[in-house]
Amino acid sequence: MSFKEILFSTWKSPKISAEESQFEEIKKEKKQKLNQMESRLESLEILISNDKLEDANILMKYLIYDLVNFYQSLSGNKTIPFEGDLSLFSIPESKTKAFQFLSQVSKEGTTDETKLNDLFESCLITYDFLLGESKKQFRTKWFTTLDQFKAIRKIRIILITSILSFSVFGVLYYQYKFPVMKDQNIKLYSFADREHPQTSESQMVSMPVSKQKIGEWNEYVFVLPDSMAKFGGLRIDPLEQRGIHFVLDEFQVLDGKGKPLYSKKIVVSQNLLPEDYQDFLKISDIKTAGKQLPGELVEMVTTGRDPQILLVFPPVDGAKTIKIKMKYIEAHKLKKK
């Protein structure tokens, strides 16, 4: 079977000759007989395990003649009638000890559980041997153009399924590795201080992320309600999506006249951690992105769907607005350093 045949042969089932039709009938008959013997083996196992030894003995006799006559038909020899002389059968050479049970068989059979179990195991080995011999003859003596067609079709189905699976996996992996920015919000929660970092929805403001200027600096101005006028800590939820890179340049807390009450730039310190790292009470679902040098703005990437930065600072009072300068970068738009 060549690669050219796999690619360019017809998908339509071929017409077979009269001789090949006969071969197909022979194979069909052999497969039915194999299924029948397999069914008898299963029934025998159930009978023996349930101590139905007399019934098992009767069924065992039929199975033994089935196994013998199946090999006779494969070899082109005459079948031996039920309860006929099994000494006429020539045991084939086999590495699997097929048909070794014939040395243990008597005309009356046995109802001894141990002997029946031994016979059953030997019959099982013989069945596997016959199954292998049948497949050999199916592939050689009785091989037809229909078998060739089925083999090519099977390979084609495997190839097409593999290509589709890899394609779907590739798309899903790309979406996971390089997610596209979705519609989402930046959220800010205020809290009292380091000892009281609890947040609530009543002390939260949010704004939609600007998707118009991905990769460019954007300034987000949050107008604070009166309930957020006084606080000593801020929880920043920069995104609601994993896999997005972002840089937070600076944020400022301003009073009603626009005077800064607190401001901070997030840059890399000499020990390669964010500067004033002790002021970061908690950072979750976020990590730094790649190698960064001291003095650079900290580039981060979200690793989960609930990224948070909790920052504490000296308490402020009379806050009216918060300004945050940020830049979002989709992973596939990153520039290699």
Side-chain angles (χ1 to χ4, degrees):
M1 187 188 305
S2 66
F3 190 67
K4 185 177 180 180
E5 286 179 307
I6 294 172
L7 289 180
F8 300 111
S9 60
T10 179
W11 282 84
K12 187 178 179 181
S13 181
K15 292 182 179 180
I16 57 177
S17 65
E19 184 183 31
E20 287 181 322
S21 294
Q22 187 178 3
F23 288 166
E24 290 297 327
E25 286 298 320
I26 292 171
K27 287 187 289 186
K28 183 179 178 181
E29 179 190 340
K30 300 300 180 194
K31 289 175 182 177
Q32 288 175 345
K33 196 64 181 176
L34 285 167
N35 288 335
Q36 182 185 357
M37 289 189 290
E38 183 181 14
S39 177
R40 285 187 171 176
L41 280 165
E42 291 172 353
S43 299
L44 261 174
E45 186 176 23
I46 293 169
L47 289 171
I48 294 171
S49 63
N50 289 311
D51 294 327
K52 305 289 185 180
L53 303 182
E54 291 184 2
D55 293 338
N57 181 43
I58 295 170
L59 187 58
M60 180 68 77
K61 290 180 183 179
Y62 282 97
L63 177 61
I64 287 169
Y65 279 91
D66 283 345
L67 294 168
V68 167
N69 285 324
F70 188 85
Y71 186 77
Q72 289 288 85
S73 67
L74 282 180
S75 307
N77 298 322
K78 288 184 178 181
T79 58
I80 300 172
F82 183 66
E83 294 192 343
D85 187 4
L86 290 174
S87 64
L88 299 173
F89 178 74
S90 298
I91 297 176
E93 292 184 6
S94 168
K95 296 179 181 179
T96 61
K97 298 182 179 180
F99 294 104
Q100 295 302 311
F101 59 81
L102 291 175
S103 61
Q104 309 169 35
V105 172
S106 64
K107 193 170 184 179
E108 297 78 18
T110 181
T111 55
D112 182 87
E113 185 175 359
T114 302
K115 290 182 179 179
L116 277 172
N117 272 315
D118 291 342
L119 277 172
F120 175 78
E121 291 297 327
S122 185
C123 287
L124 195 59
I125 291 170
T126 302
Y127 172 79
D128 288 337
F129 166 75
L130 293 176
L131 194 61
E133 290 297 306
S134 300
K135 288 179 179 178
K136 287 179 186 177
Q137 296 215 17
F138 290 170
R139 291 193 298 265
T140 54
K141 184 178 178 181
W142 297 316
F143 192 78
T144 66
T145 52
L146 184 60
D147 292 318
Q148 176 85 352
F149 168 77
K150 288 178 179 178
I152 291 174
R153 183 177 61 183
K154 184 177 180 180
I155 293 171
R156 282 174 170 172
I157 291 171
I158 292 171
L159 283 174
I160 292 170
T161 303
S162 300
I163 291 169
L164 288 174
S165 298
F166 277 115
S167 299
V168 171
F169 174 78
V171 170
L172 293 176
Y173 177 77
Y174 187 86
Q175 290 177 348
Y176 177 83
K177 188 73 175 177
F178 306 107
V180 176
M181 179 80 79
K182 298 177 181 178
D183 292 327
Q184 55 200 300
N185 293 322
I186 311 170
K187 296 179 181 179
L188 302 182
Y189 294 81
S190 65
F191 57 89
D193 50 41
R194 183 184 295 272
E195 287 72 33
H196 303 88
Q198 297 81 11
T199 59
S200 67
E201 296 298 316
S202 63
Q203 293 180 308
M204 182 272 290
V205 288
S206 68
M207 287 186 68
V209 173
S210 174
K211 295 172 61 179
Q212 302 301 316
K213 297 181 179 180
I214 299 297
E216 299 180 19
W217 290 108
N218 287 274
E219 187 174 73
Y220 297 91
V221 180
F222 297 84
V223 178
L224 304 180
D226 292 340
S227 60
M228 294 178 68
K230 184 178 180 180
F231 53 91
L234 200 63
R235 174 182 137 190
I236 305 170
D237 292 8
L239 286 161
E240 298 169 331
Q241 181 185 356
R242 64 153 300 281
I244 302 296
H245 291 241
F246 68 96
V247 182
L248 201 164
D249 181 1
E250 183 180 24
F251 77 89
Q252 294 180 311
V253 182
L254 307 173
D255 64 12
K257 296 180 180 180
K259 179 183 176 182
L261 300 175
Y262 177 78
S263 65
K264 185 173 184 63
K265 289 180 74 73
I266 300 180
V267 297
V268 181
S269 66
Q270 291 298 321
N271 60 9
L272 302 182
L273 292 172
E275 198 171 73
D276 300 325
Y277 190 71
Q278 68 279 0
D279 293 341
F280 292 87
L281 188 61
K282 177 184 175 184
I283 299 176
S284 63
D285 282 353
I286 295 173
K287 67 176 183 179
T288 55
K291 294 181 180 179
Q292 300 180 48
L293 299 175
E296 290 183 338
L297 293 172
V298 178
E299 184 179 324
M300 294 171 271
V301 59
T302 55
T303 58
R305 296 182 179 179
D306 188 24
Q308 298 177 11
I309 300 172
L310 273 72
L311 185 67
V312 292
F313 42 81
V316 297
D317 194 359
K320 290 297 182 181
T321 57
I322 295 177
K323 288 184 179 181
I324 295 183
K325 186 179 179 182
M326 294 185 71
K327 177 167 63 175
Y328 292 100
I329 313 166
E330 293 171 328
H332 63 283
K333 295 181 179 178
L334 286 172
K335 293 181 180 179
K336 292 185 178 180
K337 294 183 178 181

